[in-house]
Amino acid sequence: MTQAKDLPPAPTLPVAGLPTVLGALHDPVRLEMVRRLSNAGTAVRCAALYEAINKSTATHHFKILREAGLIERLIIDGQTYQRLRVAEVEDAVPGLLPAIVEAANRAQG
């Protein structure tokens, strides 16, 4: 049974155009979220994707990434997860995610 506090699955949007995708990735918080999702290679619980910001700010960043078509929200066992839409983004803007994630990983290390 779905609890009242569970969010409905967000509709999956098509991957936006390059300017919108780059705009979404331009923010350091969103870039870090995408980096963590990419490195995990699977859906990740929302709270594991951010630090030093509050939940409402994280929700705003997730919305920007969803609207750009980069991620989708999943509800698994009543928990909210985010999944990076790797194949869809690769089809829309080939090579972008691997290049950006590689650069972000280098910057972290």
Side-chain angles (χ1 to χ4, degrees):
M1 177 180 239
T2 303
Q3 298 176 5
K5 66 180 181 177
D6 285 348
L7 298 171
T12 302
L13 301 171
V15 177
L18 185 59
T20 301
V21 169
L22 290 175
L25 293 169
H26 180 263
D27 184 275
V29 171
R30 292 191 292 270
L31 177 59
E32 178 61 13
M33 290 173 167
V34 167
R35 187 186 76 81
R36 290 181 185 193
L37 281 166
S38 179
N39 291 341
T42 188
V44 177
R45 285 192 59 194
C46 293
L49 296 172
Y50 61 89
E51 298 167 4
I53 60 173
N54 63 38
K55 187 176 179 178
S56 65
T57 301
T59 299
H60 165 75
H61 287 297
F62 290 138
K63 179 181 178 206
I64 299 291
L65 291 169
R66 271 195 321 275
E67 288 176 347
L70 294 167
I71 65 171
E72 66 181 340
R73 182 174 64 208
L74 306 171
I75 307 297
I76 302 170
D77 294 330
Q79 299 291 318
T80 305
Y81 288 73
Q82 301 293 336
R83 183 186 76 83
L84 188 60
R85 300 177 65 218
V86 175
E88 296 89 338
V89 175
E90 183 63 23
D91 286 345
V93 282
L96 180 70
L97 273 182
I100 286 179
V101 170
E102 181 182 332
N105 283 334
R106 278 196 315 268
Q108 287 292 314

